[in-house]
Amino acid sequence: MRWEHTLAARLHAAGYEVQIDYAEAAPSARFLDCIMALESLWVGAPAEPAPFVPAGPSANDVDVILDLTGGLEPGRIPVLAIEVGGCTLLSEGLLRLRSDCGPVELVARCNGKAVGRAAPMIHDRVWLSRDIGMVLVSIQSLFVQSLARLQAGLLDEMTVTPAAAPSHRPEAAYAKHLIGGLAARMLKRMTPGSRKFSWKTAYRFIDGPGVVETRHVGGAPFSFLEDDGERFYADPFPIHHEGRTWLFVEEYPYASRRGVISVAELRPDGRFARPRVVLEEAHHLSYPNVFAHEGSLFMIPESGTAKEVVLYRAAPFPDCWQREAVLIEGRNFNDATLFQHEGRFWMLGTERYAGGSASDTMAIYSAERLHGPWIPHPLNPVVIDRAGARPGGRIVHVNGKAFLPVQNGTDTYGGGLGLREILRLDATDVRFGPVLPICTAEGKGPASLHTVNRTGRLEVIDSLL
């Protein structure tokens, strides 16, 4: 299938030589093909078979085997395989996306031992073909990640929880989910004033611990950044400059459906003025990561749809921003978050591959200077996790430890926020701690946060309505 050839292309791009061999399709694969063909009548073309590629030389001539069939036994040559929902046969695992086994989990195994994990984010939740496309991209990424760690001698065995067995047949679970999902989607469209997504930006002034330190949103109440109902404001980044306080946000007008960057100034009465647009491009902009460096003010907004990461310089601040340098080209890189560590600049964000999610696959780049050149980390992608890959604010330090706010998209995009400690970050390895969730004021569950930032006494968040 074409996704398998895309995997081969990604491996070629990473410097590997790839040979392809074939196995007979399993019955579950043929049933999956029928579903894909059926859904193509409503959502587009099915996943067509790729052009036939002649099989390569004997497996004895290769260094590693990537098993996409689930049928190879470990031997002299290392065998890497991916389990989907506990199934080594991918077609059976993909059918479980509509089972009652919970969110999909991927496990990489080397000669039968668990050595990697991925938790892909799926967005559609109605059409199975669309969600399968996203999971297949995560399978590609997990293979690339596992090979990079194997090559570096860092492929460690890990403990994984066995996947639960589904209680219903795949055919019944698929039909039930599709009918229920279509009904819910139709009901929402018929509800007056409903939108696919909308955000509220809020702020408060506090002394002492805030959301990051306490990991909940209790305490002093927040005030909302007012909007006119024709747009929302999200991704708040505050900054102090020359005795004044500014708040940069993504402004998203519903009419244009394209984000721009706006700024609001803090008034003497302690409230922010209405934001005004300061940066607009032909493509979507968001996540206005604004910062000071060597006497100048810079911004790196998210511009993944343009497949570039651009550094802007204020000239003058805060209303005029000039393109200073393109830091990364040809990559759909999202929510670039900078971090200076051990004499280098580090950029953390999620990298989207065609058909995959923009929120579950973290990549890291580094440079000696802000203007680059920026080089990818040899272990990219370093994290594949819907609950702990996409940044949700600046790096924060608590008790001498560095934490990255991360978005939790397990239930929905913008459904929660957590913190991950950066345990190790250097040219050879990357290690993160577990995701520590930020809870509601009552501490009874994850708060529906998307971003958290703070400068001085000013703390800002945004939340999904």
Side-chain angles (χ1 to χ4, degrees):
M1 304 299 287
R2 291 194 181 278
W3 79 269
E4 297 165 328
H5 286 252
T6 303
L7 169 61
R10 288 182 63 177
L11 295 173
H12 274 299
Y16 300 101
E17 294 183 11
V18 180
Q19 302 170 3
I20 297 176
D21 204 352
Y22 294 90
E24 183 179 352
S28 56
R30 291 192 286 271
F31 175 67
L32 196 60
D33 288 344
C34 292
I35 290 179
M36 303 286 274
L38 179 65
E39 290 195 359
S40 71
L41 299 175
W42 287 273
V43 297
E48 301 175 359
F52 184 81
V53 176
S58 166
N60 294 326
D61 300 324
V62 301
D63 300 308
V64 183
I65 298 174
L66 306 188
D67 179 17
L68 307 186
T69 70
L72 290 184
E73 295 293 331
R76 180 181 61 82
I77 300 172
V79 175
L80 277 175
I82 305 292
E83 285 184 355
V84 182
C87 298
T88 53
L89 186 59
L90 295 186
S91 53
E92 290 184 2
L94 293 172
L95 286 173
R96 286 194 177 190
L97 294 183
R98 291 298 181 259
S99 71
D100 53 2
C101 300
V104 62
E105 300 284 336
L106 311 180
V107 176
R109 293 189 178 273
C110 183
N111 292 342
K113 297 180 179 180
V115 293
R117 172 188 171 272
M121 184 172 176
I122 57 177
H123 291 258
D124 193 274
R125 301 177 186 267
V126 174
W127 299 107
L128 179 61
S129 55
R130 289 178 174 172
D131 289 342
I132 282 177
M134 307 194 86
V135 173
L136 292 177
V137 173
S138 290
I139 291 173
Q140 297 171 17
S141 296
L142 186 54
F143 270 126
V144 173
Q145 180 193 80
S146 300
L147 281 172
R149 288 196 166 274
L150 177 63
Q151 193 175 39
L154 299 171
L155 200 60
D156 303 324
E157 186 175 358
M158 62 176 60
T159 301
V160 296
T161 303
S167 58
H168 298 88
R169 290 179 58 83
E171 301 91 333
Y174 168 75
K176 179 181 177 181
H177 195 102
L178 178 62
I179 294 171
L182 288 174
R185 185 168 290 183
M186 184 177 299
L187 180 62
K188 183 175 182 179
R189 289 177 179 176
M190 294 172 61
T191 303
S194 65
R195 293 191 174 98
K196 184 176 181 181
F197 54 88
S198 186
W199 305 89
K200 277 287 188 181
T201 289
Y203 59 94
R204 67 181 178 182
F205 296 89
I206 57 173
D207 295 301
V211 169
V212 168
E213 292 80 8
T214 63
R215 298 212 329 267
H216 66 80
V217 293
F222 285 88
S223 299
F224 289 103
L225 190 64
E226 297 180 2
D227 60 66
D228 58 4
E230 301 298 323
R231 69 205 72 238
F232 68 70
Y233 301 115
D235 294 345
F237 276 79
I239 190 169
H240 291 307
H241 180 62
E242 296 182 346
R244 299 161 74 179
T245 300
W246 306 87
L247 182 61
F248 287 83
V249 293
E250 171 201 350
E251 177 179 331
Y252 187 91
Y254 299 116
S256 67
R257 302 178 65 183
R258 186 180 75 244
V260 297
I261 304 302
S262 295
V263 68
E265 184 178 6
L266 183 67
R267 300 182 309 209
D269 63 1
R271 299 188 66 84
F272 281 97
R274 181 173 177 175
R276 61 182 185 268
V277 178
V278 296
L279 180 60
E280 185 172 5
E281 298 280 14
H283 51 266
H284 176 80
L285 296 174
S286 61
Y287 204 78
N289 189 353
V290 58
F291 58 95
H293 177 65
E294 294 183 346
S296 297
L297 291 169
F298 297 94
M299 184 197 303
I300 302 179
E302 191 262 293
S303 55
T305 56
K307 293 190 175 181
E308 62 180 8
V309 177
V310 181
L311 178 70
Y312 292 82
R313 182 194 292 266
F317 182 87
D319 290 289
C320 185
W321 295 87
Q322 297 180 350
R323 289 170 66 100
E324 180 86 357
V326 177
L327 306 184
I328 300 175
E329 290 185 275
R331 299 284 186 173
N332 189 333
F333 197 78
N334 301 272
D335 296 352
T337 301
L338 260 64
F339 178 46
Q340 282 187 273
H341 174 64
E342 295 184 351
R344 290 186 69 84
F345 285 92
W346 299 87
M347 186 188 300
L348 294 74
T350 52
E351 195 161 312
R352 183 176 193 174
Y353 298 91
S357 172
S359 299
D360 61 9
T361 305
M362 182 191 291
I364 296 179
Y365 291 75
S366 69
E368 293 183 357
R369 299 173 55 254
L370 175 61
H371 291 72
W374 288 83
I375 59 174
H377 198 281
L379 298 184
N380 280 347
V382 296
V383 173
I384 309 166
D385 187 355
R386 57 182 166 261
R390 186 164 182 165
R394 298 175 177 130
I395 300 288
V396 293
H397 293 83
V398 180
N399 298 326
K401 299 178 180 179
F403 291 86
L404 172 69
V406 288
Q407 300 178 30
N408 186 339
T410 300
D411 295 323
T412 184
Y413 177 68
L417 200 65
L419 301 171
R420 297 198 81 165
E421 183 182 356
I422 302 174
L423 300 175
R424 179 175 177 180
L425 179 60
D426 56 42
T428 60
D429 200 2
V430 180
R431 304 279 173 166
F432 290 94
V435 177
L436 307 175
I438 296 174
C439 298
T440 62
E442 298 79 14
K444 296 182 179 180
S448 297
L449 301 182
H450 177 251
T451 312
V452 61
N453 278 306
R454 183 172 179 178
T455 181
R457 297 182 60 244
L458 173 62
E459 184 176 55
V460 294
I461 58 173
D462 64 353
S463 179
L464 182 66
L465 291 181

